[in-house]
Amino acid sequence: NHKIGFAGADTALILDIEKIKHFTLQNILPAKGAGYADFIVYLNTGNYMYVFIEDTYFFDRFAQQLEKITKKPVEIPEAYYNC
């Protein structure tokens, strides 16, 4: 069916894989603010959505599996400090 779903404690999101351009797993290091990680989906339309927020580096372990399942690139940019 060419769809992928993401589920959290209170919500679920189902997307057509064909509409996804790529994923970004952005890590933010603690500094003045807390550290965390964002799971971001970029769509072919140019829009993007923040799907999850978790502890720093939490999502990195899922990058290869996500690429394999969706055949879409998964970017993990260099972490930056939350200043």
Coordinates of all heavy atoms in Angstrom, one line a residue:
N1 N 0.8 -1.2 0.0 CA 0.0 0.0 0.0 C 0.8 1.3 0.0 O 0.3 2.3 0.0 CB -1.0 0.0 1.1 CG -0.4 0.1 2.5 OD1 0.8 0.3 2.7 ND2 -1.2 -0.2 3.5
H2 N 2.2 1.1 0.1 CA 3.1 2.3 0.0 C 2.8 3.4 1.0 O 2.9 4.5 0.7 CB 3.1 2.8 -1.5 CG 3.4 1.8 -2.5 ND1 4.7 1.3 -2.7 CD2 2.7 1.2 -3.4 CE1 4.7 0.5 -3.6 NE2 3.5 0.4 -4.1
K3 N 2.5 3.0 2.2 CA 2.3 3.9 3.3 C 3.2 3.5 4.4 O 3.7 2.4 4.6 CB 0.9 3.9 3.8 CG -0.1 4.3 2.7 CD -1.5 4.4 3.3 CE -2.5 4.7 2.2 NZ -2.4 6.1 1.7
I4 N 3.5 4.6 5.3 CA 4.3 4.3 6.5 C 3.6 5.1 7.6 O 3.0 6.2 7.4 CB 5.8 4.8 6.3 CG1 6.6 4.4 7.6 CG2 5.9 6.3 6.1 CD1 8.1 4.4 7.4
G5 N 3.6 4.5 8.8 CA 2.9 5.1 9.9 C 3.8 5.3 11.1 O 4.8 4.6 11.2
F6 N 3.5 6.3 11.8 CA 4.3 6.6 13.1 C 3.2 6.8 14.2 O 2.2 7.5 14.0 CB 5.0 7.9 12.9 CG 5.9 7.9 11.7 CD1 5.5 8.5 10.5 CD2 7.2 7.3 11.8 CE1 6.4 8.5 9.4 CE2 8.0 7.3 10.7 CZ 7.6 7.9 9.5
A7 N 3.5 6.2 15.3 CA 2.5 6.2 16.4 C 3.2 6.7 17.7 O 4.3 6.2 18.0 CB 1.9 4.9 16.6
G8 N 2.6 7.6 18.4 CA 3.1 8.0 19.7 C 2.1 7.6 20.7 O 1.1 6.8 20.5
A9 N 2.2 8.2 21.9 CA 1.3 7.8 23.0 C -0.1 8.3 22.8 O -1.1 7.6 23.1 CB 1.8 8.4 24.3
D10 N -0.3 9.4 22.1 CA -1.6 10.0 22.0 C -2.1 10.1 20.5 O -3.2 10.4 20.3 CB -1.7 11.3 22.6 CG -1.5 11.3 24.1 OD1 -1.9 10.3 24.8 OD2 -0.8 12.2 24.7
T11 N -1.2 10.0 19.6 CA -1.5 10.2 18.2 C -0.9 9.2 17.2 O 0.1 8.5 17.6 CB -1.1 11.7 17.8 OG1 0.4 11.7 17.9 CG2 -1.7 12.7 18.6
A12 N -1.4 9.2 16.0 CA -0.8 8.4 15.0 C -0.8 9.2 13.7 O -1.7 10.0 13.5 CB -1.5 7.1 14.8
L13 N 0.2 8.9 12.8 CA 0.3 9.6 11.5 C 0.6 8.6 10.5 O 1.5 7.8 10.6 CB 1.4 10.6 11.6 CG 1.8 11.4 10.3 CD1 0.6 12.3 9.9 CD2 3.0 12.2 10.6
I14 N -0.2 8.6 9.4 CA 0.1 7.7 8.2 C 0.3 8.6 7.0 O -0.5 9.5 6.7 CB -1.1 6.7 8.0 CG1 -1.3 5.9 9.2 CG2 -0.9 5.9 6.8 CD1 -2.6 5.0 9.2
L15 N 1.5 8.3 6.3 CA 1.8 9.1 5.2 C 2.0 8.2 4.0 O 2.5 7.0 4.1 CB 3.1 9.8 5.4 CG 3.1 10.9 6.5 CD1 4.5 11.3 6.8 CD2 2.2 12.0 6.1
D16 N 1.8 8.7 2.8 CA 2.1 8.0 1.5 C 3.6 8.1 1.3 O 4.1 9.2 1.3 CB 1.4 8.6 0.3 CG -0.1 8.3 0.4 OD1 -0.5 7.1 0.8 OD2 -0.9 9.2 0.0
I17 N 4.3 7.0 1.1 CA 5.8 7.1 1.0 C 6.1 7.9 -0.3 O 7.1 8.6 -0.3 CB 6.3 5.7 0.9 CG1 6.2 5.0 2.2 CG2 7.8 5.7 0.5 CD1 6.6 3.5 2.3
E18 N 5.3 7.8 -1.3 CA 5.6 8.6 -2.5 C 5.6 10.1 -2.3 O 6.2 10.8 -3.1 CB 4.6 8.3 -3.6 CG 4.6 6.8 -4.1 CD 3.8 5.9 -3.2 OE1 2.9 6.4 -2.6 OE2 4.1 4.7 -3.2
K19 N 4.9 10.6 -1.3 CA 4.9 12.0 -1.0 C 6.0 12.5 -0.1 O 6.1 13.7 0.1 CB 3.5 12.3 -0.3 CG 2.3 12.1 -1.2 CD 1.0 12.5 -0.6 CE -0.1 12.3 -1.6 NZ -1.4 12.6 -1.0
I20 N 6.9 11.6 0.3 CA 8.0 11.9 1.2 C 9.2 12.2 0.4 O 9.6 11.3 -0.5 CB 8.2 10.8 2.2 CG1 7.0 10.7 3.2 CG2 9.5 11.1 3.1 CD1 7.1 9.4 4.1
K21 N 9.9 13.3 0.6 CA 11.2 13.6 -0.1 C 12.3 13.0 0.7 O 13.2 12.3 0.2 CB 11.4 15.1 -0.2 CG 12.6 15.5 -0.9 CD 12.7 16.9 -1.1 CE 14.0 17.3 -1.9 NZ 14.1 18.7 -2.1
H22 N 12.4 13.2 2.0 CA 13.4 12.7 2.9 C 13.1 12.9 4.4 O 12.1 13.6 4.7 CB 14.8 13.2 2.6 CG 15.0 14.7 3.0 ND1 14.6 15.7 2.2 CD2 15.5 15.2 4.1 CE1 14.9 16.9 2.8 NE2 15.4 16.6 4.0
F23 N 13.9 12.3 5.2 CA 13.7 12.4 6.7 C 15.0 13.1 7.2 O 16.1 12.9 6.7 CB 13.6 11.1 7.3 CG 12.5 10.2 6.9 CD1 12.6 9.3 5.8 CD2 11.2 10.3 7.5 CE1 11.6 8.6 5.4 CE2 10.2 9.6 7.0 CZ 10.3 8.7 6.0
T24 N 14.8 13.9 8.3 CA 15.9 14.4 9.0 C 15.8 14.1 10.5 O 14.7 14.3 11.1 CB 16.0 16.0 8.8 OG1 16.2 16.3 7.5 CG2 17.1 16.6 9.7
L25 N 16.9 13.6 11.0 CA 17.0 13.3 12.5 C 18.0 14.3 13.0 O 19.2 14.2 12.9 CB 17.5 11.9 12.7 CG 16.8 10.8 11.9 CD1 17.4 9.5 12.2 CD2 15.3 10.8 12.3
Q26 N 17.4 15.4 13.6 CA 18.3 16.5 14.1 C 18.5 16.4 15.6 O 17.5 16.4 16.3 CB 17.6 17.9 13.7 CG 18.4 19.1 14.2 CD 19.7 19.2 13.5 OE1 19.8 19.4 12.3 NE2 20.8 19.1 14.2
N27 N 19.7 16.4 16.0 CA 20.1 16.3 17.4 C 20.5 17.7 17.9 O 21.3 18.4 17.2 CB 21.3 15.3 17.6 CG 20.8 13.9 17.3 OD1 20.0 13.4 18.0 ND2 21.3 13.3 16.2
I28 N 20.0 18.1 19.0 CA 20.3 19.4 19.6 C 21.0 19.0 21.0 O 20.4 18.3 21.8 CB 19.0 20.2 19.8 CG1 18.5 20.6 18.4 CG2 19.4 21.5 20.6 CD1 17.5 19.7 17.8
L29 N 22.1 19.6 21.2 CA 22.9 19.3 22.4 C 22.5 20.3 23.5 O 22.2 21.5 23.3 CB 24.4 19.4 22.1 CG 24.9 18.5 21.0 CD1 26.3 18.9 20.7 CD2 24.8 17.1 21.5
P30 N 22.5 19.9 24.8 CA 22.2 20.8 25.9 C 23.2 21.9 26.0 O 24.4 21.7 25.9 CB 22.1 19.9 27.1 CG 23.0 18.7 26.8 CD 22.9 18.5 25.3
A31 N 22.7 23.1 26.3 CA 23.6 24.2 26.6 C 22.8 25.1 27.5 O 22.5 24.7 28.6 CB 24.0 25.0 25.3
K32 N 22.4 26.3 27.1 CA 21.5 27.1 27.9 C 20.1 26.4 28.0 O 19.4 26.5 29.0 CB 21.3 28.5 27.3 CG 22.5 29.4 27.4 CD 22.3 30.7 26.8 CE 23.5 31.6 27.0 NZ 23.4 32.9 26.4
G33 N 19.7 25.7 26.9 CA 18.4 25.0 26.9 C 18.7 23.5 26.9 O 19.9 23.1 26.9
A34 N 17.7 22.7 27.0 CA 17.8 21.3 27.1 C 18.3 20.7 25.8 O 18.1 21.2 24.7 CB 16.5 20.7 27.6
G35 N 18.8 19.4 25.9 CA 19.1 18.7 24.7 C 17.9 17.8 24.3 O 17.1 17.4 25.1
Y36 N 17.8 17.6 23.0 CA 16.7 16.8 22.5 C 17.0 16.4 21.0 O 18.0 16.8 20.4 CB 15.4 17.5 22.6 CG 15.3 18.9 21.8 CD1 14.8 18.9 20.5 CD2 15.8 20.0 22.4 CE1 14.7 20.1 19.8 CE2 15.7 21.2 21.7 CZ 15.2 21.3 20.5 OH 15.1 22.5 19.8
A37 N 16.1 15.6 20.4 CA 16.2 15.2 19.0 C 14.9 15.4 18.4 O 13.8 15.1 18.9 CB 16.7 13.8 18.9
D38 N 14.9 15.9 17.1 CA 13.7 16.1 16.3 C 13.6 15.1 15.2 O 14.7 14.8 14.6 CB 13.6 17.5 15.7 CG 13.2 18.6 16.7 OD1 12.4 18.3 17.5 OD2 13.8 19.7 16.5
F39 N 12.5 14.5 15.0 CA 12.3 13.6 13.8 C 11.4 14.4 12.9 O 10.2 14.7 13.2 CB 11.5 12.3 14.3 CG 11.3 11.3 13.2 CD1 12.0 10.1 13.2 CD2 10.3 11.5 12.3 CE1 11.8 9.2 12.2 CE2 10.0 10.5 11.3 CZ 10.8 9.4 11.3
I40 N 12.0 14.7 11.7 CA 11.3 15.6 10.8 C 11.1 14.9 9.4 O 12.0 14.2 8.9 CB 12.2 16.9 10.5 CG1 12.5 17.5 11.9 CG2 11.4 17.9 9.7 CD1 13.7 18.5 11.8
V41 N 9.9 15.0 8.9 CA 9.6 14.5 7.6 C 9.4 15.6 6.6 O 8.7 16.6 6.8 CB 8.3 13.7 7.6 CG1 7.9 13.2 6.2 CG2 8.4 12.5 8.6
Y42 N 10.2 15.6 5.5 CA 10.1 16.6 4.4 C 9.3 16.0 3.3 O 9.6 14.9 2.8 CB 11.5 17.0 3.9 CG 12.2 17.9 4.9 CD1 12.9 17.3 6.0 CD2 12.2 19.3 4.8 CE1 13.6 18.1 6.9 CE2 12.9 20.1 5.8 CZ 13.5 19.5 6.8 OH 14.2 20.3 7.7
L43 N 8.3 16.7 2.8 CA 7.4 16.3 1.8 C 7.9 16.8 0.4 O 8.6 17.8 0.3 CB 6.0 16.7 2.1 CG 5.5 16.2 3.4 CD1 4.1 16.8 3.7 CD2 5.4 14.7 3.5
N44 N 7.4 16.2 -0.6 CA 7.8 16.6 -2.0 C 7.2 18.0 -2.3 O 7.7 18.7 -3.2 CB 7.3 15.6 -3.0 CG 8.0 14.3 -3.0 OD1 9.2 14.2 -2.6 ND2 7.2 13.2 -3.2
T45 N 6.2 18.5 -1.6 CA 5.6 19.8 -1.8 C 6.5 20.9 -1.3 O 6.2 22.1 -1.5 CB 4.3 19.9 -1.1 OG1 4.5 19.7 0.4 CG2 3.3 18.9 -1.6
G46 N 7.6 20.6 -0.5 CA 8.4 21.6 0.2 C 8.0 21.8 1.6 O 8.7 22.5 2.3
N47 N 6.9 21.3 2.0 CA 6.5 21.4 3.4 C 7.2 20.3 4.2 O 7.7 19.4 3.7 CB 5.0 21.2 3.5 CG 4.2 22.3 2.9 OD1 4.6 23.4 2.9 ND2 3.0 21.9 2.4
Y48 N 7.2 20.5 5.5 CA 7.8 19.6 6.4 C 7.0 19.5 7.7 O 6.2 20.4 8.0 CB 9.3 19.9 6.7 CG 9.5 21.2 7.3 CD1 9.5 21.4 8.7 CD2 9.7 22.3 6.5 CE1 9.8 22.6 9.3 CE2 9.9 23.6 7.1 CZ 9.9 23.7 8.5 OH 10.1 25.0 9.0
M49 N 7.2 18.4 8.5 CA 6.5 18.3 9.7 C 7.4 17.7 10.8 O 8.1 16.7 10.5 CB 5.2 17.5 9.6 CG 5.3 16.2 9.0 SD 3.6 15.4 8.8 CE 3.2 15.9 7.2
Y50 N 7.3 18.2 12.0 CA 8.0 17.6 13.1 C 7.1 16.5 13.6 O 5.9 16.8 14.1 CB 8.2 18.6 14.2 CG 9.3 19.6 13.8 CD1 9.0 20.7 13.0 CD2 10.6 19.5 14.3 CE1 10.0 21.6 12.7 CE2 11.6 20.4 13.9 CZ 11.3 21.4 13.1 OH 12.3 22.3 12.8
V51 N 7.5 15.3 13.6 CA 6.7 14.1 14.0 C 6.9 13.8 15.4 O 5.9 13.5 16.1 CB 7.0 12.9 13.0 CG1 6.2 11.7 13.4 CG2 6.8 13.3 11.6
F52 N 8.2 13.7 15.9 CA 8.5 13.3 17.2 C 9.6 14.2 17.8 O 10.4 14.7 17.0 CB 9.0 11.9 17.3 CG 7.9 10.8 17.0 CD1 8.1 10.0 15.9 CD2 6.8 10.6 17.8 CE1 7.2 9.0 15.6 CE2 5.9 9.7 17.4 CZ 6.1 8.9 16.3
I53 N 9.6 14.3 19.1 CA 10.7 14.9 19.8 C 11.1 13.9 20.9 O 10.2 13.3 21.5 CB 10.4 16.3 20.4 CG1 11.6 16.9 21.0 CG2 9.2 16.2 21.4 CD1 11.4 18.4 21.4
E54 N 12.4 13.7 21.1 CA 12.9 12.7 22.0 C 14.3 13.1 22.6 O 14.7 14.2 22.2 CB 13.0 11.3 21.3 CG 12.7 10.0 21.9 CD 12.1 9.9 23.3 OE1 12.8 10.2 24.3 OE2 10.9 9.5 23.4
D55 N 14.9 12.3 23.4 CA 16.2 12.6 23.9 C 17.2 12.6 22.8 O 17.1 12.0 21.8 CB 16.7 11.6 24.9 CG 15.8 11.6 26.2 OD1 15.3 12.7 26.5 OD2 15.7 10.6 26.9
T56 N 18.3 13.4 23.0 CA 19.4 13.6 22.0 C 19.9 12.2 21.5 O 20.1 11.3 22.4 CB 20.5 14.4 22.6 OG1 20.0 15.6 23.1 CG2 21.6 14.7 21.5
Y57 N 20.0 12.0 20.2 CA 20.5 10.8 19.6 C 19.6 9.6 19.6 O 19.9 8.6 19.1 CB 21.9 10.4 20.1 CG 23.0 11.5 19.9 CD1 23.5 12.1 21.0 CD2 23.4 11.8 18.7 CE1 24.5 13.1 20.9 CE2 24.3 12.8 18.5 CZ 24.9 13.5 19.6 OH 25.8 14.4 19.5
F58 N 18.4 9.8 20.2 CA 17.4 8.7 20.3 C 17.1 8.1 18.9 O 17.0 6.8 18.8 CB 16.2 9.1 21.0 CG 15.1 8.0 21.1 CD1 15.1 7.1 22.1 CD2 14.1 8.0 20.1 CE1 14.2 6.1 22.1 CE2 13.1 7.0 20.2 CZ 13.2 6.0 21.2
F59 N 16.9 8.9 17.9 CA 16.4 8.4 16.6 C 17.5 7.9 15.7 O 17.2 7.1 14.8 CB 15.6 9.5 15.9 CG 14.5 10.1 16.6 CD1 14.4 11.4 17.0 CD2 13.4 9.2 16.9 CE1 13.3 11.9 17.7 CE2 12.3 9.7 17.5 CZ 12.2 11.0 18.0
D60 N 18.7 8.2 16.0 CA 19.8 7.8 15.1 C 19.9 6.3 14.8 O 20.2 5.9 13.7 CB 21.2 8.2 15.7 CG 21.4 9.7 15.7 OD1 20.4 10.5 15.5 OD2 22.5 10.1 16.0
R61 N 19.5 5.5 15.8 CA 19.6 4.0 15.7 C 18.6 3.5 14.7 O 18.7 2.3 14.2 CB 19.4 3.4 17.0 CG 18.0 3.6 17.6 CD 17.9 3.0 19.0 NE 17.4 4.0 19.9 CZ 17.1 3.8 21.1 NH1 17.2 2.6 21.6 NH2 16.6 4.7 21.9
F62 N 17.6 4.3 14.3 CA 16.5 3.9 13.4 C 16.8 4.3 11.9 O 16.0 4.0 11.0 CB 15.2 4.4 13.8 CG 14.8 4.0 15.2 CD1 14.8 4.9 16.2 CD2 14.5 2.6 15.5 CE1 14.4 4.5 17.5 CE2 14.2 2.2 16.8 CZ 14.1 3.2 17.8
A63 N 17.9 5.1 11.7 CA 18.1 5.7 10.4 C 18.2 4.6 9.3 O 17.6 4.7 8.2 CB 19.3 6.5 10.4
Q64 N 19.0 3.6 9.4 CA 19.2 2.6 8.4 C 17.9 1.8 8.1 O 17.6 1.6 6.9 CB 20.3 1.6 8.7 CG 21.7 2.2 8.6 CD 22.8 1.2 8.9 OE1 22.7 0.3 9.7 NE2 23.9 1.3 8.1
Q65 N 17.2 1.5 9.1 CA 16.0 0.7 8.9 C 14.9 1.6 8.2 O 14.2 1.1 7.3 CB 15.4 0.3 10.3 CG 14.2 -0.5 10.2 CD 13.7 -1.0 11.6 OE1 14.2 -0.5 12.6 NE2 12.8 -1.9 11.6
L66 N 14.9 2.9 8.6 CA 13.9 3.8 7.9 C 14.3 3.9 6.4 O 13.4 3.9 5.6 CB 14.0 5.1 8.6 CG 12.9 6.2 8.2 CD1 11.5 5.6 8.4 CD2 13.1 7.4 9.0
E67 N 15.6 4.1 6.1 CA 16.0 4.2 4.7 C 15.6 2.9 3.9 O 15.2 2.9 2.8 CB 17.5 4.4 4.6 CG 17.8 5.9 4.7 CD 19.3 6.1 4.3 OE1 20.1 5.2 4.3 OE2 19.6 7.3 4.1
K68 N 15.9 1.7 4.6 CA 15.6 0.5 3.9 C 14.1 0.3 3.7 O 13.7 -0.2 2.6 CB 16.1 -0.7 4.8 CG 16.0 -2.0 4.2 CD 16.6 -3.1 5.1 CE 16.5 -4.5 4.5 NZ 17.0 -5.5 5.3
I69 N 13.3 0.6 4.6 CA 11.8 0.4 4.5 C 11.2 1.4 3.4 O 10.4 1.0 2.6 CB 11.1 0.6 5.8 CG1 11.5 -0.5 6.8 CG2 9.6 0.7 5.6 CD1 11.0 -0.3 8.2
T70 N 11.6 2.7 3.5 CA 11.0 3.7 2.6 C 11.7 3.9 1.3 O 11.2 4.5 0.4 CB 10.9 5.0 3.4 OG1 12.2 5.5 3.7 CG2 10.1 4.9 4.7
K71 N 13.0 3.6 1.2 CA 13.9 3.9 0.1 C 14.0 5.4 -0.1 O 14.2 5.9 -1.2 CB 13.3 3.3 -1.2 CG 13.0 1.8 -1.2 CD 14.2 1.0 -1.2 CE 14.0 -0.5 -1.4 NZ 13.8 -1.3 -0.2
K72 N 13.9 6.1 1.1 CA 14.1 7.6 1.1 C 15.3 7.9 1.9 O 15.6 7.2 2.9 CB 12.9 8.3 1.7 CG 11.6 8.0 1.0 CD 11.5 8.6 -0.4 CE 10.2 8.3 -1.0 NZ 10.0 9.0 -2.3
P73 N 16.0 9.0 1.6 CA 17.2 9.4 2.3 C 16.9 9.8 3.8 O 15.8 10.4 4.0 CB 17.8 10.5 1.6 CG 17.1 10.7 0.3 CD 15.8 9.9 0.4
V74 N 17.7 9.4 4.7 CA 17.6 9.9 6.1 C 18.9 10.7 6.4 O 20.0 10.1 6.4 CB 17.5 8.7 7.0 CG1 17.4 9.2 8.5 CG2 16.2 7.9 6.7
E75 N 18.7 12.0 6.7 CA 19.8 12.8 7.0 C 20.0 12.9 8.5 O 19.0 13.1 9.2 CB 19.6 14.2 6.4 CG 19.4 14.2 4.9 CD 19.1 15.6 4.4 OE1 18.8 16.5 5.2 OE2 19.1 15.8 3.1
I76 N 21.2 12.9 9.0 CA 21.5 13.2 10.4 C 22.6 14.3 10.4 O 23.8 14.0 10.3 CB 22.0 11.9 11.1 CG1 21.0 10.8 11.0 CG2 22.3 12.3 12.6 CD1 21.5 9.5 11.6
P77 N 22.1 15.6 10.3 CA 23.1 16.7 10.3 C 23.9 16.7 11.6 O 23.5 16.1 12.6 CB 22.2 17.9 10.2 CG 20.8 17.4 9.9 CD 20.8 16.0 10.3
E78 N 25.0 17.4 11.6 CA 25.8 17.6 12.8 C 24.9 18.2 13.9 O 24.2 19.2 13.7 CB 27.0 18.5 12.5 CG 27.9 18.6 13.6 CD 29.2 19.4 13.3 OE1 29.5 19.6 12.1 OE2 29.9 19.8 14.2
A79 N 25.1 17.7 15.1 CA 24.3 18.2 16.2 C 24.8 19.6 16.5 O 26.0 20.0 16.3 CB 24.5 17.3 17.4
Y80 N 23.9 20.5 17.0 CA 24.3 21.8 17.5 C 23.8 22.1 18.9 O 22.9 21.4 19.4 CB 23.8 22.9 16.5 CG 22.3 22.9 16.3 CD1 21.5 23.7 17.2 CD2 21.6 22.2 15.3 CE1 20.1 23.8 17.1 CE2 20.2 22.3 15.2 CZ 19.5 23.0 16.1 OH 18.2 23.1 16.0
Y81 N 24.4 23.1 19.5 CA 24.0 23.4 20.9 C 22.8 24.3 21.0 O 22.6 25.2 20.2 CB 25.2 24.1 21.6 CG 26.3 23.2 21.9 CD1 27.4 23.1 21.0 CD2 26.3 22.4 23.0 CE1 28.4 22.2 21.2 CE2 27.4 21.5 23.2 CZ 28.4 21.4 22.3 OH 29.4 20.5 22.6
N82 N 22.0 24.0 22.0 CA 20.7 24.7 22.2 C 21.1 26.0 23.0 O 20.9 26.0 24.2 CB 19.7 23.8 22.9 CG 18.4 24.5 23.1 OD1 18.1 25.6 22.6 ND2 17.5 23.8 23.8
C83 N 21.5 27.0 22.3 CA 22.0 28.3 23.0 C 20.9 29.3 23.0 O 20.2 29.5 22.1 CB 23.2 28.8 22.3 SG 24.6 27.8 22.5

